[in-house]
Amino acid sequence: MEEQFILRVPPSIAERIDKLLSENPSSSEDKSLDLSFTEDGRTGTFVIGNDHFPAALLDLPGIVESYKTYDDNVLIKTADIGQMIMVREDGDNPPDGVEYRHGLTPPMRDARRRRFRREPDLNPELVQRVEKDLVNIMAGGTAENVDVEVVEQEEDADGSARKTQKKTAPVPIAKPKVPETPTNGGEPERSDTDDSDDSE
């Protein structure tokens, strides 16, 4: 795979780049191209000839695949492109954020809002509570504030359910958090199922 990027420039700069690449560099007015970025890695300067233009590295809303061909019949994938360098005129407004909200083609205009699934609206307190419960469960404890309902069914001789009883089980008390002390010099304990059989 190759490393590639997309360079998007205004039409006036595109004409100058086209002339520079197609003509003899010694006869062209613009004899050099340069691109440099600041320490943040997102903003920079594009230089063509003696003119400087602001540039920004933006994330595309989706991955763009790049192909090339040698015989106009077989396409060979060369890269996955997820970022674009956008060069703008001095008077243009800088982009908002680090993600470009449009794709590269007109059908992908405002793609993030129109074509992608929206993030679910979740209560942040609920998310934090579930995260805390998961951490407790992974540490060997139990979840807090959980209602447990046990349903028992008795079957007849023919296999049909005859009676249903519901009982509310008591909620288990969460175990106190006790820091685990490493054994065997910091190596985790191994169970019988972890032992491999080397006899085969």
Side-chain angles (χ1 to χ4, degrees):
M1 297 289 280
E2 298 178 359
E3 292 186 7
Q4 300 179 0
F5 64 89
I6 294 172
L7 179 66
R8 177 169 275 188
V9 296
S12 60
I13 301 175
E15 291 175 4
R16 294 171 65 179
I17 293 174
D18 187 36
K19 287 180 183 177
L20 179 63
L21 296 177
S22 60
E23 297 177 358
N24 187 359
S26 59
S27 64
S28 176
E29 298 176 1
D30 303 319
K31 297 184 180 179
S32 65
L33 286 175
D34 188 28
L35 181 64
S36 60
F37 285 93
T38 57
E39 293 180 2
D40 65 353
R42 287 285 181 176
T43 57
T45 304
F46 178 77
V47 180
I48 179 168
N50 295 325
D51 297 329
H52 294 66
F53 300 94
L57 179 65
L58 302 173
D59 296 336
L60 293 170
I63 299 295
V64 177
E65 294 181 347
S66 172
Y67 294 87
K68 67 180 172 185
T69 180
Y70 295 105
D71 57 1
D72 293 331
N73 286 326
V74 179
L75 292 176
I76 302 169
K77 182 178 176 181
T78 55
D80 287 327
I81 304 172
Q83 292 182 318
M84 169 181 65
I85 298 174
M86 177 177 276
V87 179
R88 62 186 192 279
E89 300 280 358
D90 288 324
D92 294 343
N93 294 328
D96 297 331
V98 297
E99 184 179 68
Y100 188 62
R101 51 183 289 203
H102 309 298
L104 299 177
T105 59
M108 289 292 287
R109 182 163 184 80
D110 204 6
R112 178 66 66 190
R113 183 182 61 83
R114 294 191 312 118
R115 297 190 172 268
F116 295 167
R117 183 174 56 198
R118 295 181 183 174
E119 295 182 2
D121 295 332
L122 295 175
N123 184 358
E125 295 176 0
L126 175 65
V127 173
Q128 289 176 357
R129 193 171 77 225
V130 170
E131 183 180 0
K132 182 180 176 184
D133 288 343
L134 285 175
V135 170
N136 285 341
I137 291 170
M138 289 170 42
T142 58
E144 299 175 0
N145 301 325
V146 177
D147 295 331
V148 179
E149 186 176 290
V150 178
V151 178
E152 295 179 0
Q153 291 185 341
E154 294 180 8
E155 295 184 359
D156 289 336
D158 59 354
S160 62
R162 181 171 54 90
K163 190 191 281 186
T164 303
Q165 297 177 349
K166 292 184 180 180
K167 296 180 182 178
T168 303
V171 177
I173 300 172
K175 296 179 183 177
K177 293 183 180 178
V178 179
E180 296 182 5
T181 57
T183 58
N184 299 331
E187 296 181 2
E189 293 182 4
R190 298 180 65 184
S191 64
D192 293 337
T193 58
D194 292 338
D195 294 332
S196 60
D197 186 8
D198 296 332
S199 61
E200 295 180 8

